[in-house]
Amino acid sequence: MLLPIITYPDPSLKKIAIPITEFDDSIRDLAESMLETMYVSNGVGLAAPQVGRSTRLIVIDPDHYNSEKNPRVFINPEIELIGENIVSENEGCLSVPLNYRADIPRNNKIKVKYQNILGEIKEEIFEGFPAIIIQHEVDHLDGKLFIDKISRLKRSLYESKVKKWIKNGGLE
Ligand SMILES: [Zn+2]
């Protein structure tokens, strides 16, 4: 099922999401619908708060644009930064309107502790692009957007563009 994606400045994107404790059919349905929504929206990741569910579930596919897809689901993910600081170039987000993009500081290697769809605890190391996507999506679970990490000047320029866009009825 396709889910509507919530966009900035909706205040619900600032909420801290709640851990998942029951690994039932509703969680499987949510993960499936989120993957479907992500693929249709041309994204490489999606977090549950972006579809109005304040729970700690993210889906990603770093290979979205490759011939072999690689859908992944992470529940209650916890990140440990174990690499070096890098700049993630041209980062964007399905919840950030006007296709806005910016360079964002990230880490190039992370260890992720998470639960799979069955509730089993897993640990995995990610490097490069997948690591960047996971950091971006876990930020959503903590109520953070990538535009919270840009300079004040860039942020205020962006905010005035969004205000104008909303005033014009949200048409690009
Ligand atoms: Zn995002």
Side-chain angles (χ1 to χ4, degrees):
M1 191 175 70
L2 286 181
L3 306 167
I5 296 177
I6 291 170
T7 54
Y8 176 83
D10 191 306
S12 69
L13 291 169
K14 281 189 184 171
K15 277 202 268 182
I16 299 199
I18 292 160
I20 288 171
T21 51
E22 304 231 350
F23 295 81
D24 54 16
D25 280 352
S26 73
I27 292 303
R28 266 182 288 278
D29 288 348
L30 176 63
E32 217 168 89
S33 296
M34 281 173 58
L35 279 167
E36 196 187 336
T37 305
M38 178 192 80
Y39 284 123
V40 168
S41 315
N42 274 316
V44 290
L46 193 64
Q50 293 180 275
V51 292
R53 296 282 296 268
S54 196
T55 54
R56 301 190 81 82
L57 189 157
I58 66 169
V59 298
I60 72 164
D61 188 350
D63 294 310
H64 185 158
Y65 302 108
N66 300 331
S67 52
E68 210 165 305
K69 303 274 180 275
N70 183 22
R72 298 291 313 266
V73 178
F74 301 88
I75 297 170
N76 304 326
E78 280 170 38
I79 290 178
E80 190 187 331
L81 305 175
I82 55 172
E84 285 163 23
N85 295 326
I86 49 155
V87 174
S88 156
E89 286 174 11
N90 269 317
E91 209 168 295
C93 176
L94 295 173
S95 291
V96 172
L98 301 170
N99 199 26
Y100 183 73
R101 290 179 176 269
D103 294 348
I104 302 298
R106 297 284 181 200
N107 200 281
N108 69 348
K109 197 171 175 184
I110 58 174
K111 192 194 273 180
V112 186
K113 212 174 136 188
Y114 66 97
Q115 280 166 284
N116 67 12
I117 206 83
L118 301 171
E120 297 164 339
I121 294 170
K122 304 274 176 185
E123 202 172 83
E124 217 174 314
I125 286 170
F126 293 89
E127 255 184 289
F129 192 43
I132 287 169
I133 302 170
I134 294 169
Q135 287 167 78
H136 176 114
E137 301 311 330
V138 171
D139 275 350
H140 278 297
L141 303 182
D142 295 324
K144 285 183 274 177
L145 298 174
F146 80 91
I147 50 172
D148 297 332
K149 297 173 191 274
I150 60 179
S151 72
R152 281 172 90 165
L153 177 64
K154 279 186 184 159
R155 176 69 181 246
S156 67
L157 286 172
Y158 176 65
E159 272 174 18
S160 60
K161 269 189 201 166
V162 170
K163 267 183 201 141
K164 212 173 174 185
W165 174 68
I166 291 171
K167 214 173 129 194
N168 293 332
L171 302 168
E172 285 188 53

